[in-house]
Amino acid sequence: PEVLQAIRGEVKDFTRYSSTMKEKMLYVAFPMANRGETFLVVRLSLYISEISELMDELKWKFLLALIALFILALIMAWFFSRNISRPVQEIVEATRAFANGDFDIKVYLRKKDELAEVAASFNNMVERQKQMFNELSQNREELKAIISSMQEGLLVINRSGEIVLCNKSFNKIIGKECGKNQHYWEVFRINDFETYVK
């Protein structure tokens, strides 16, 4: 039947038992045409058992290739995630150090990507905060020096009557040291003063 199909110009395969070979076989025939006319038919046959063996071998090779590709994909994913997570971890650690008061912390990333921009912004922010902190510290020291050198007694209290600040002149007036977070009436008692405060 495969030869008849080939003579008609069609290619089909047929599976049947071969009485000659005493085994099931696959047959296929190919027409060889010249100017639209078939002048030759090539007929091939193959044992079905050989095809099954070949298919089994191909299945194992395909399975091994899939396992190899899966392992390769895992390794690539691990390297990729490591390359992303390491800079993120560096930024997180630097942020923690900054939150704990380290104004000299810097983040330097090798790759020039979005995370590098985040790192550069973080470094700029830390630098600005450091400058502001230094300016505030300097202003505070100047203010302390001014308050200490004042001849007049100075006492600063909050709404609940706790002492926030007092200078040396005030300590001389009351004759003892006043401390922060103490209430003014614990340090001295003057009726008129208490009335004025209220």
Side-chain angles (χ1 to χ4, degrees):
E2 63 274 6
V3 173
L4 291 172
Q5 291 289 338
I7 291 168
R8 293 188 195 117
E10 297 175 7
V11 178
K12 282 192 179 179
D13 58 86
F14 294 87
T15 305
R16 63 180 179 275
Y17 183 79
S18 172
S19 55
T20 311
M21 305 306 295
K22 307 291 184 195
E23 200 171 332
K24 203 171 185 182
M25 299 191 75
L26 174 72
Y27 297 96
V28 65
F30 300 93
M32 307 294 281
N34 185 18
R35 294 179 185 172
E37 287 186 20
T38 302
F39 68 92
L40 181 71
V41 173
V42 179
R43 179 177 178 265
L44 304 171
S45 63
L46 192 65
Y47 294 106
I48 292 292
S49 58
E50 287 181 5
I51 296 172
S52 298
E53 286 174 16
L54 180 65
M55 290 299 291
D56 289 341
E57 190 180 334
L58 284 173
K59 278 179 189 174
W60 280 110
K61 284 183 178 177
F62 184 68
L63 184 64
L64 287 172
L66 275 178
I67 291 169
L69 280 172
F70 180 71
I71 291 168
L72 182 66
L74 281 177
I75 292 167
M76 287 176 68
W78 181 75
F79 275 112
F80 185 69
S81 65
R82 192 176 173 194
N83 285 339
I84 288 178
S85 64
R86 188 187 296 152
V88 170
Q89 190 63 34
E90 285 181 32
I91 293 170
V92 168
E93 286 173 7
T95 306
R96 284 186 187 142
F98 175 67
N100 290 329
D102 185 358
F103 292 106
D104 295 318
I105 193 76
K106 297 279 184 212
V107 180
Y108 298 104
L109 301 180
R110 294 173 190 171
K111 288 187 178 179
K112 301 295 179 187
D113 55 5
E114 289 82 3
L115 286 174
E117 289 179 22
V118 172
S121 299
F122 174 81
N123 292 339
N124 289 336
M125 181 192 72
V126 170
E127 193 60 39
R128 283 200 305 271
Q129 292 292 328
K130 184 179 179 181
Q131 288 174 359
M132 287 173 63
F133 182 78
N134 289 339
E135 286 173 13
L136 283 170
S137 297
Q138 188 178 349
N139 291 342
R140 189 175 178 185
E141 291 303 316
E142 288 173 2
L143 186 63
K144 271 187 180 179
I146 292 168
I147 289 170
S148 296
S149 63
M150 282 175 63
Q151 296 299 315
E152 294 80 7
L154 177 69
L155 174 70
V156 181
I157 59 174
N158 62 20
R159 287 181 179 275
S160 60
E162 290 177 342
I163 297 171
V164 177
L165 181 72
C166 61
N167 65 355
K168 290 177 182 177
S169 299
F170 184 79
N171 289 336
K172 283 180 185 176
I173 293 169
I174 62 169
K176 58 180 171 178
E177 291 278 329
C178 64
K180 276 188 176 182
N181 301 325
Q182 283 184 299
H183 290 91
Y184 70 89
W185 58 81
E186 294 174 312
V187 178
F188 66 95
R189 288 188 173 274
I190 302 171
N191 291 332
D192 290 342
F193 183 79
E194 197 166 337
T195 304
Y196 295 145
V197 169
K198 286 180 181 177

